[in-house]
Amino acid sequence: MPEPHFTFSSDILSGDSADVYFLRTHEVLRREGVDPTVTMELFPSRPGVLCGIREALALLRAALGETIQESELRVEAMEEGAPILPKQVALRLTGRYQLFGIYETALLGILSHSTGWATMARACVEAADPIPVYSFGARHVHPRVAPILDYAAIVGGCASGSTSAGARLAGRPPAGTMPHALILLLGDTVTVAKAFDRAMPPEVPRTVLVDTFHDEAEESLRVATALGRRLQSVRLDTPGERGGVTVDLVREVRARLDQAGHGHVQIFVSGGVTVQRLRQFRESGVPIAGFGVGEAISSAPPIDFTADVKAIAGRPVAKRGRIPGLTPNPALREVSL
Amino acid sequence: MPEPHFTFSSDILSGDSADVYFLRTHEVLRREGVDPTVTMELFPSRPGVLCGIREALALLRAALGETIQESELRVEAMEEGAPILPKQVALRLTGRYQLFGIYETALLGILSHSTGWATMARACVEAADPIPVYSFGARHVHPRVAPILDYAAIVGGCASGSTSAGARLAGRPPAGTMPHALILLLGDTVTVAKAFDRAMPPEVPRTVLVDTFHDEAEESLRVATALGRRLQSVRLDTPGERGGVTVDLVREVRARLDQAGHGHVQIFVSGGVTVQRLRQFRESGVPIAGFGVGEAISSAPPIDFTADVKAIAGRPVAKRGRIPGLTPNPALREVSL
Amino acid sequence: MPEPHFTFSSDILSGDSADVYFLRTHEVLRREGVDPTVTMELFPSRPGVLCGIREALALLRAALGETIQESELRVEAMEEGAPILPKQVALRLTGRYQLFGIYETALLGILSHSTGWATMARACVEAADPIPVYSFGARHVHPRVAPILDYAAIVGGCASGSTSAGARLAGRPPAGTMPHALILLLGDTVTVAKAFDRAMPPEVPRTVLVDTFHDEAEESLRVATALGRRLQSVRLDTPGERGGVTVDLVREVRARLDQAGHGHVQIFVSGGVTVQRLRQFRESGVPIAGFGVGEAISSAPPIDFTADVKAIAGRPVAKRGRIPGLTPNPALREVSL
Amino acid sequence: MPEPHFTFSSDILSGDSADVYFLRTHEVLRREGVDPTVTMELFPSRPGVLCGIREALALLRAALGETIQESELRVEAMEEGAPILPKQVALRLTGRYQLFGIYETALLGILSHSTGWATMARACVEAADPIPVYSFGARHVHPRVAPILDYAAIVGGCASGSTSAGARLAGRPPAGTMPHALILLLGDTVTVAKAFDRAMPPEVPRTVLVDTFHDEAEESLRVATALGRRLQSVRLDTPGERGGVTVDLVREVRARLDQAGHGHVQIFVSGGVTVQRLRQFRESGVPIAGFGVGEAISSAPPIDFTADVKAIAGRPVAKRGRIPGLTPNPALREVSL
Amino acid sequence: MPEPHFTFSSDILSGDSADVYFLRTHEVLRREGVDPTVTMELFPSRPGVLCGIREALALLRAALGETIQESELRVEAMEEGAPILPKQVALRLTGRYQLFGIYETALLGILSHSTGWATMARACVEAADPIPVYSFGARHVHPRVAPILDYAAIVGGCASGSTSAGARLAGRPPAGTMPHALILLLGDTVTVAKAFDRAMPPEVPRTVLVDTFHDEAEESLRVATALGRRLQSVRLDTPGERGGVTVDLVREVRARLDQAGHGHVQIFVSGGVTVQRLRQFRESGVPIAGFGVGEAISSAPPIDFTADVKAIAGRPVAKRGRIPGLTPNPALREVSL
Amino acid sequence: MPEPHFTFSSDILSGDSADVYFLRTHEVLRREGVDPTVTMELFPSRPGVLCGIREALALLRAALGETIQESELRVEAMEEGAPILPKQVALRLTGRYQLFGIYETALLGILSHSTGWATMARACVEAADPIPVYSFGARHVHPRVAPILDYAAIVGGCASGSTSAGARLAGRPPAGTMPHALILLLGDTVTVAKAFDRAMPPEVPRTVLVDTFHDEAEESLRVATALGRRLQSVRLDTPGERGGVTVDLVREVRARLDQAGHGHVQIFVSGGVTVQRLRQFRESGVPIAGFGVGEAISSAPPIDFTADVKAIAGRPVAKRGRIPGLTPNPALREVSL
């Protein structure tokens, strides 16, 4: 994966989106003239797939990069995408507290939210393995973070995501077929299939959604007949009101396509796909070309990260309930901003 | 609540953060020369407290406001903060499809994420009622949406949130006391209490965190003795490693403060507060001045919204599984962009 | 309900289908010259809707009616269809033991099997009330008892059953539409609808099965257009592989029929209907003309009946575990064979 | 097992006990002049022990045997008693539809009911193995099917059944001892034991029921003393009101018989025996000569079979939800009527 | 209830059976010359029926009564048998610590153990109400505390107990019939019944145990015939190996006694009686003269009591986790030793 | 373990604490002149660790030892502390019934209560292994049996108990540190630590309780600094109101002691310790010097023992439900009183 390009709004850089008490802390320390060198450690409360490290470093770079010398801030970090355990230190900062204190909220938020999504994506990918999984959850999250969601899902193992911005962060082409709206507007699936085929550049796969108006099996055959060898796959997205996409449905569509000589047409499945259902599909052995997974990934709860000051001027400290001093973690690597 | 000011990045306005298949739909329709007047309805899958409507309207305004006349797009919407049922239409748009088709992902995402947070905030507020609840979850979400989280929490009933930007969206002063880091840096809670009192403007409440170094009851008494009538409250945030904040702890600190003549000092509770624990605190009857609730709100799963084209050129349509035509909803009001 | 006409094979009348130890008992008593007047009581182990009493009396009549005088056998019975409690006596026989001893197995079997079916039918009828329920379970039971099943289901409250012989026992016309086989053979649902309409006498309702080849909503509209006012109802029997019949499906078909001006066409539901799903349909309020219930009734376990000798020559007796002497039951009426 | 002799009533042969819609289908097809050659497959919904195949073939023979030539109907079937999986084809018929269409209900009913009983019998036999199990459930089912129940139980692995007709179908001698009624009539267990011994031919085992009047252990000793070496076994059938037959009771009776020198007398157990209790008895290791199992087998729910037309005039067909064309099954064998 | 007479061994009075750290505390305080006036409060952790207060006071009287003046120790206590809530103060002592410090273990133990038994006895009595319950649990507890168990059970509501010493503590006659051993030794229940009747003084009820050798119903009739009007009741104590005593058994024995003209003979039930089974018996409505309850009461876990020093020299104190100072409790009454 | 010295009150020796029906049996047998030689067997209903055998033998010795010759009573017993199975005979007595009949209640009670405690102690010891467990439950049981509890706990594997009398029975020094009361009285933990150190003889370990006034970690460091190498361990007994003692707390105290150079100070844990929590502590791997377990052992329910007469004058007998005659048990050894 090439180095992604993250951008930060002025809200984030100014501390306006931070917990206000960090701004107040900044003011108190300034007036008291206190600013020792401290070591702060950031670690999660639950196990998962670490994500957000690159963006966290990018934030420090954007906030401090031009104003400080390298010797002023020592940064140690684990690798993006690495498995991480509870209380394992993902990021360790050593420098004067006032340099980075107001970014605690932002750093924690980046790591918590991204790690939550990457971890759930990994669970989906493992359940579907070796069938590829695509992140289709952009519609459930605020558009400010939709690209972040897709990036995290890809870090967690997804083949790609549905947003251009998100896929670009991860250096992948975005994934998408056609929505029900297009079929409703043109009024017939075969008409849409042909128009789509005419309009799209060759690198866009010809995948046609087949559950809008008619029975899926029937429509699959109509579309396959119309596009012939140009049809790459059909997408089943049957709504819950019609029973959703089941193993039996995939098996039947497969059989009917094969019987009609359309063995080359693959089947793509989306709609209400959960980890449990991914396992059922895989265990059933029905041939599936890919899964579009939305809510299962996008509704993953953040994995709560905590930041602890563990040393002041080289002396181990901690609040009650924590062990004073640095926590050993051989997976940490020093990185330069 | 005054009208909040929402901003949108160019990613959102350009469709770069949208599902790519809406961009492809745009291209297919353009080449086919099809652009009928449609009615699209957005509705949730689960009941909740509707949030995001104002931002959704702001997005339409930002994207279209200057380029179209009012007659080109009819917008009907429910009110921000209203209770909403499954399949109840929150937002209905009528106009040429190409005007707004590429914003479907963003509109759904704004409504899904915000409604998820507002709904969980309401559950917390009801469990704590009449004790006020403050949104302390910024650290668990990406900083791009931390202010959105606080705004949604306040729509759901919270008294305020911890981020300046989020509180400002809702027209409230932000809420915050002091972090453990400040106490570790100055080395003693009483020292911090005095420095904080010196540095802060009068409108900032003197609320001191009392679990960093010593027993909470002991520290509360030390701080109360040091600040006297200037101390407004103590904050209990005992870590899980030390049993967390319990009803018994609050009751004891209350009794010891009272026995020492500090009856005016209130108690603020944070740390691992869930809906269930809010109910326990309330049912116990121990006097609490406020709750800081983080993960319980910030990890609320989005409430999935769907957008359906329900009429084309005035004719009822729907995909299989949905009822063609407009869904009656007397709670909808026409709004002008 | 008119008096049903039950027939009995020679196996039953000869004791060949009885537990062999009753034949051995007959032989032992004969050789010992013992044949006192006894009172035998038959009662169930679980509560239910009593069924089989009429057939039990018909069996006694067929076996003994011509050979004995009325004074030789006193028969007391509860009414067919009455609610019955555990250990409540449904049938009491007083006469010489050798007269009826070998029929104990048959009498118990008739009551156990019929009461089991009638009881479950009642549960379905109550769950669906006031929508009528039809017994469609003949295919799950041996054809020797398929008519008995339908008769018991009607005693339990069903509107009718699917077998001619069973419906006749209960004095009702049989219920039935058309099977999938007919539609497969003629190749199209509309073709079948017209042929059926041509072939059937006027009293047979025009109910057309609409899930064989195409989407149910689409096919319903095709059939309604073809038959017009002659169409009474459509039957939804969607297989489990396609999600079965759901509340959402019925609601959509209803809406689409109404929107197309076919408000007079009713909807009949069958396939995998259980007591729980009957309750869901009823609570949803979707308008349904009737339910076809198969396995839920036909797989009802028999309700075990027991026969106890409770008096010999007027003297109370019982085996260990039972109270000697007659069990009071005001619901018993003396009947004459 | 020799070929059993099944008989069919005129109701079954005429279609009077069939679902009426098959008769209506017959009429529609006749008027339309449609009668193609079809292939119909019958398969179960759940796994089990296949039973009813022989009777199904006998039905086809009885209905068609004399009127058609062998070439008109191709019949393929699995073997009676074979294990069968969900959707595995048990019976496949190829011929003109009108030949056998009206027997669909009867064929399904025979297979469903018989397979249900045989499958549960197998579960009991496996739980008790190697102690033999006898089918004592005739009293819970309608006497028309009591012999069918016994036959199916023996196909499932039971040593025999309690009805003469059922045992004869399976070519076994029926199993039975003496009922409580006989002991009540003669007034004393020892009196009965002697009368039974006098009356029965030598091949009937001398098994005496010992729980009617007195404690089982006490009565066992009385009977053993009275009959000496002529006593083969005692049967324990303690009613639930007295705690039923338990492992402890069997163990004690065994010990007391042994201590009194009646080591040759075996113990037979009946009454409320379930699969779970069979396992408990077996695991306890107490020596038992046999089990009489009633309700556990007779209340087994039918295993639902379905009949699908899968080819018409050699062309694969199927309704939605099913795979068109013949389902491969190497366990099928062609049979001649 | 008259004042019971409790005795204390020298182990208890010397502190030899106390936690040794109280003896060490005594020594440390003695050497330090510290012995302030303190107030100690004893309270339970769970709700219950308070028992042991009288014995606790008797212990203080026995240990201190002769050596101190009344003014030296102020004693406040709740009443024996009162309902008590968690943390409600059952006993409060004010005096020099060294006077009573070494008795903390003994006082807590008396209250914990006795309150546990009394509380469970109350649950049994309420479940059986209005049928009397007798404490038959002496055989499950160490003989040193068997009388204490019976006393606590009677405080909890039992009619009496089985030990002479325990019943005497509560001022009741002990309850007991005859053990299985007596019947085994004399070899026949009727023989025992007659011998018991000859030997016992008139005030001992003639209650005969009827399950030793023969069936309970049979034996009840034999005994009733033998003793006639002198027989007061039969006791059913059927062992678990024979199904225990069930509602059905009691109902049958009652019916058979009534049918034989022994309506005056009552039925007493013992053996494996739990709170749940008491409820079943009561709800069944079968007439029972009394229940003997053993393990259900004797295995009641102690209800943990705690002793806290809450004031020293009139100043409120407490360890962390407890509220300093005296806990208000209007149910406390001052008592004099 | 040396032979413990058990004492018996006159209540026990006279039968005054026995079930009164054994006294009545004694009287009946005396008047009838019946006193055969019998064999009585005592056995438990559940598996466990046998305890109480030594005290049972001591009771027989105290009651009979001087009045009978060895030949008059044959005693066979299993070993104290042996594992025992349901119905395995722990004690067998052969002699004239009147010699020991009235001690049945006492013998059963000694075995039931002691075996219950020893069995639960064993479960704790196994869960904590290899960390030693100390019995701290004296305060939950009546002081008459507190030493018996400690003895049984040690038989079950505990290292010692908290009462002097109990530890002496088992030949161990008692275990105990200091109670909260001592610290409250002297007002400061360090003051107490020094006074304790001055007052106690050298063999008493310097273990200081550190949760009374201040945070445990803070107090541990203060005490360690004050006593230096003389401090053996600190005891954590944090009340439930402050979260109890957790793995995290022990880990932190350990780390802080180590960081301050007090690696020699061990940590002892008490308060609310259950089998489940012992497993958690052990699995966590935190170094702990010992556990004080109270309620988990002291509230163990007695393991019900039963005494059966199994032979009279050498002839096997038993009541219904039991096997007549002696039960083989190779673990029995003949012992002389």
Side-chain angles (χ1 to χ4, degrees), chain A residues 6 29 42 56 92 126 153 157 176 266 336:
Chain A
F6 294 99
L29 291 175
L42 289 79
R92 183 190 285 148
E126 289 178 351
Q266 296 184 305
S336 61

Side-chain angles (χ1 to χ4, degrees), chain A residues 186 190-200 227, chain B residues 28 31-32:
Chain A
L186 291 186
V190 168
T191 305
V192 169
K194 291 179 177 167
F196 187 84
D197 185 33
R198 279 192 298 273
M200 287 295 108
L227 287 211
Chain B
V28 171
R31 288 177 65 126
E32 300 291 322

Side-chain angles (χ1 to χ4, degrees), chain C residues 16 19 24 162 168 241, chain D residues 16 19 87 162 168 176 241:
Chain C
D16 203 36
D19 289 313
R24 291 177 177 163
S162 65
R168 189 164 52 240
E241 289 92 340
Chain D
D16 204 36
D19 289 314
K87 301 213 170 177
S162 65
R168 189 164 53 240
E241 291 92 338

